Amino acid sequence: MVSAPILQIALPGPLRTLFDYLPPKHHSHPLLPGSRFQVPFGRGSRTGLLIRLTARSTIPADRLKRVLEQLDPAPLLQESDIRLLRWAADYYQHPFGDVIFLALPGNLRKGRSPSVSKPVGLRLTTAGQAVNSETLLRAPKQLAVIQALAETPEGMAKSALSDGCEASPAVLRRLSDKGWIETCQIEPVVESVPPATPRHKLNPDQQSAVDETCAHLGRFKPFLLHGVTGSGKTEVYLYLIEAVLARRQQALVLVPEIGLTPQLLQRFKEQIGAGVAVLHSGLSDGERERVWQAMRRSEKKVVVGTRSAVFTPMPALGLIIVDEEHDLSYKQQEGFRYSARDLSLVRAQQCDCPVVLGSATPSLESLRNADEGRYHRLSLPRRAAGARMPQLRLLDIRSVHLDGGLSPALLKQLRQTLATGEQAMLFLNRRGYAPMITCHACGWLTDCPRCDARMTHHRQQQLLWCHHCGHQRQVPAHCPDCGSPDLRPLGQGTERIEETLQRRFPETPLARIDRDSTSRKGTLEKLLGEAKTGHYPLLLGTQILAKGHHFPLVTLVAILDVDHGLFGADFRASERMAQLVLQVAGRAGRAERPGKVLIQTRHPDHPLMQLLTTKGYTAFAKEALDERRMAVLPPYSHQVLLRAESTKASDPETFLTQAMRIGKEITGAAAVEFWGPVPAPMERKAGKTRAHLLIQSAQRQALHHWLVKWVPGITALPASRRVRWSIDVDPQEML
Ligand code: ADP
Ligand code: ZN
Ligand code: ZN
């Protein structure tokens, strides 16, 4: 007798196994991997995804349950999609079922059946187009619908009609009964875009980058596109995508943050039009699912998206582009801690297509890969539109009197720039008024009661606010310790710089662009738009200002504080500082007038700072890589961080010590080193005590094989239940 197959199903949650179920008694669709099933689980039911069919189960037959319902008539995920997710779950040691469900759009996680790919819409029939408005004078609601539809021949979503014209189902039914309206499909949202700016003719550097990549279409090949800011990387991407589309393939473009890459998106929409779909966290579940389905069915050809877009199913994937590949946002720092950049390489390999990592300031990891020939390097050393690279200058602020954070030399340069009608941009990566308040009588500081951190003074909101745990309180009028009224802000945030600038340049319009000033939806876009036209001669902001924007009139850029990057606790601090400096500097002099960049520092002689400002990023990176090699730090070694936190102070360390002990007993432990356990750099955060154990190895494979054996052991430790713990493979921050 042929036994019925067993369905092995992945379920979301912390469990690291697949679950066996019997097939439904009757099924009208084939039981194919990649489709979802509703299954009994505990006392309720859950949605799971079929991974494979097997002949037998380790569970006794009488205890096997039957699936309740097949949710998808055809697989949602193809084998290649599942393979990538499987790889990611294994590499990052995160439960497979959880990985799968995180990769699905929210709607599909909840077991709802997939909605139609396009929302149902309504449009006028030919008879409806001929309706004379006079005939409907007595039926204003029906008239409103007819008029709205007359303006949108391609049709409107029902929801839009009910919102905009208060069209009730009854009104729509009446119109439909008269034969004036009919249902239709609506194209997914792609905002229309003003007429295209003509395509640039590529310069020789851009052309050879395009040619070399195109020569490898249809095969796996990683490229590092190292192009200075303004070198025209976007144009290279566009030509590559065009070549991919000509092969009837799809392209995946990853960007750090949609809101911060308006230019790239605008350019893509102009040139590729309705073929581009956008995926980011700001979408509603429905919008996200529509895009996801359209890509899955190859109805759309190009998706531009943030981190999680790396998992979008694309059956005809022919190219992956990762813009600003060094950006920290590609690494998820919570839960499933994957790197979308690193996964894009795995995906490209699995799909046999090229992957292009683009940046003006590539990560040291990628530079090393290029140096050693694993990535093919493509260079764009010059600005495309002919603008010169800005000049970088260090301003020594060791023994000068700062006025609200600004040195006299900087103030002088600001005056000159403004006098010539040009724009100046000041950059400080710290929002709020001051990072703390102190009592001048006794030295009391605004410590956060829940963290090892100070509470930032936000003057506009009249609040003390901890940026680490969100705790807020009112600004006290007197020192809580000694009662003195002499409380003073210490240090600078953007609000305070704004105040200084307004005092110094009272006549000059100024825009402060940070998370506080742009919290209302649409304000960021509005401010950035106005900033570009030169409406504000003075621009001040946090790193929101640093990324991909093109401000043609900015000729002076000032970076107010870089020093924490030189001596940060994290070994990546100097790399991040250099990337940020060059990203910010890249905003200067992008048009005809040359730009100047001033960097205030108390350590003008710091060797890395010197290299960066005199010889540029490549020289800096070479030196920084040498330091890493000598210290055997990544990319010359590989790390895994085991973090733990608990409200009980001793629990994390107890757990980590036990974890280390069992880790040392595993075969293969000789290939790994243990550092710790040590308290986290911020030991107390949000009321919890935090510690970590760092594991390092020179061999990635050996580390992985050891890790795979270690994680089940950790899970089984009784102490693991008293802490919140997580595994971070290739950690990017030690926080
Ligand atoms: P990046 O992304 O490398 O910083 P962009 O792609 O934003 O640079 O390009 C910078 C500017 O150069 C843009 O204004 C773009 O229109 C222009 N540009 C790009 N390629 C060319 C070209 N081949 N000829 C002239 N201008 C170009
Ligand atoms: Zn005091
Ligand atoms: Zn706090």
Side-chain angles (χ1 to χ4, degrees), residues 200-203 206 227-235 263 267 323 380 384-385 550 590:
H200 290 293
K201 189 175 167 338
L202 296 182
N203 64 36
Q206 289 172 314
V228 299
T229 48
S231 59
K233 293 186 285 295
T234 313
E235 224 56 26
Q263 255 108 27
R267 198 83 189 103
D323 191 33
L380 305 177
H550 186 62
R590 284 172 71 97

Side-chain angles (χ1 to χ4, degrees), residues 439-444 479-484 487:
C439 166
H440 220 62
C442 77
W444 171 85
C479 171
D481 276 5
C482 74
S484 158
L487 299 179

Side-chain angles (χ1 to χ4, degrees), residues 331-351:
K331 174 84 172 159
Q332 174 135 314
Q333 310 280 11
E334 267 299 315
F336 172 32
R337 296 164 190 261
Y338 65 97
S339 156
R341 182 209 43 212
D342 295 350
L343 282 180
S344 73
L345 280 128
V346 175
R347 186 165 186 189
Q349 188 163 29
Q350 292 181 347
C351 300

Side-chain angles (χ1 to χ4, degrees), residues 215-232:
H216 290 86
L217 291 178
R219 271 180 289 160
F220 171 60
K221 177 100 182 163
F223 294 89
L224 176 62
L225 176 62
H226 184 178
V228 299
T229 48
S231 59

Side-chain angles (χ1 to χ4, degrees), residues 448-455 465-471 682 684-687:
C448 172
R450 312 175 66 214
C451 305
D452 292 332
R454 316 276 182 234
M455 296 181 78
W465 186 355
C466 173
H467 289 182
H468 303 280
C469 72
H471 184 74
M682 188 183 295
R684 231 165 51 84
K685 183 173 166 182

Side-chain angles (χ1 to χ4, degrees), residues 197-198 235 238 263-271:
T197 3
E235 224 56 26
L238 278 172
Q263 255 108 27
L264 181 135
L265 208 56
Q266 169 81 4
R267 198 83 189 103
F268 272 49
K269 285 181 180 167
E270 285 172 2
Q271 297 290 340

